[in-house]
Amino acid sequence: MDIEAIRGDITAERVDAIVNAANSSLLGGGGVDGAIHAAAGPELLAACRALRRTTLPDGLPVGAAVATGAGALPCRWVIHTVGPNAHRGQTDPALLRACFRNSLDEAARIGARTVAMPAVSAGVYGWDPAEVAREAVAAVRDRTGTDVELVRFVLFSDPVLAVFRAALDDPGR
Ligand code: AR6
């Protein structure tokens, strides 16, 4: 599996699946979630509403991941995950690692070979981007045996890109 980190807007990624840093409602929000819904158009919201009516009436739990179609986005699937919210006392790194691990497992399950991921929880949810980077890299390295061939971390700023590059350069992770 190739693992890389770039600076960019994840909505422009031409990969099989992109990961969304959603909230439990799955009905949209700000940050990368807002950007993904804006670029995908109403089909994505309709797919999320369908999940809420059927398999996820209470919403998506923190740490879990679920795929939908991608509407007008250039990718084929959006994998929604819910990061822990540090402002609400959700400070267990295992929850954050679970987001990345479960997103990758969902990617493998649906047959996605190339996956782009943002810095889940590093924005509105208040986590230190360096800690997000460490958990994200550890989770992905733990899943190198799956059929996913490429994981690309797509970061929105140079400082966040730098901490992801540092985590990737650390062989202990
Ligand atoms: N491409 C890549 N990364 C982005 C983009 C983009 N287009 N836009 C923002 N980021 P956040 P969270 C970065 O706040 O902390 C929403 O309202 C951003 O700079 O999007 O998990 C949801 O509905 C940051 O580094 O997600 C939830 O309520 C990272 O993505 C809540 O925010 C994550 O920031 C989730 O908060």
Side-chain angles (χ1 to χ4, degrees):
M1 180 197 282
D2 290 329
I3 311 173
E4 59 189 35
I6 63 164
R7 182 176 166 174
D9 174 353
I10 203 166
T11 64
E13 282 296 311
R14 297 184 174 277
V15 287
D16 294 338
I18 66 171
V19 171
N20 181 18
N23 58 64
S24 288
S25 81
L26 290 179
L27 301 179
V32 71
D33 192 12
I36 287 172
H37 275 276
E43 241 180 82
L44 182 61
L45 187 57
C48 291
R49 285 193 198 283
L51 283 176
R52 291 298 309 276
R53 278 196 307 271
T54 56
T55 51
L56 293 168
D58 298 326
L60 188 67
V62 175
V66 64
T68 64
L73 287 165
C75 56
R76 187 160 162 206
W77 295 283
V78 175
I79 297 171
H80 308 264
T81 191
V82 181
N85 185 346
H87 301 305
R88 288 196 183 158
Q90 296 168 345
T91 54
D92 181 359
L95 283 172
L96 195 49
R97 200 179 289 208
C99 288
F100 291 97
R101 196 185 56 229
N102 289 327
S103 295
L104 262 183
D105 287 350
E106 181 74 345
R109 189 186 69 78
I110 61 179
R113 296 295 171 100
T114 56
V115 181
M117 297 182 156
V120 177
S121 288
V124 173
Y125 282 177
W127 278 70
D128 173 5
E131 190 152 21
V132 174
R134 287 194 293 269
E135 295 305 326
V137 169
V140 171
R141 288 200 170 139
D142 198 41
R143 282 293 187 273
T144 46
T146 69
D147 287 340
V148 175
E149 290 162 6
L150 170 71
V151 172
R152 179 180 292 145
F153 294 111
V154 180
L155 296 323
F156 215 41
S157 70
D158 284 332
V160 180
L161 173 61
V163 294
F164 270 77
R165 291 238 161 110
L168 284 171
D169 285 344
D170 180 351
R173 297 274 161 196

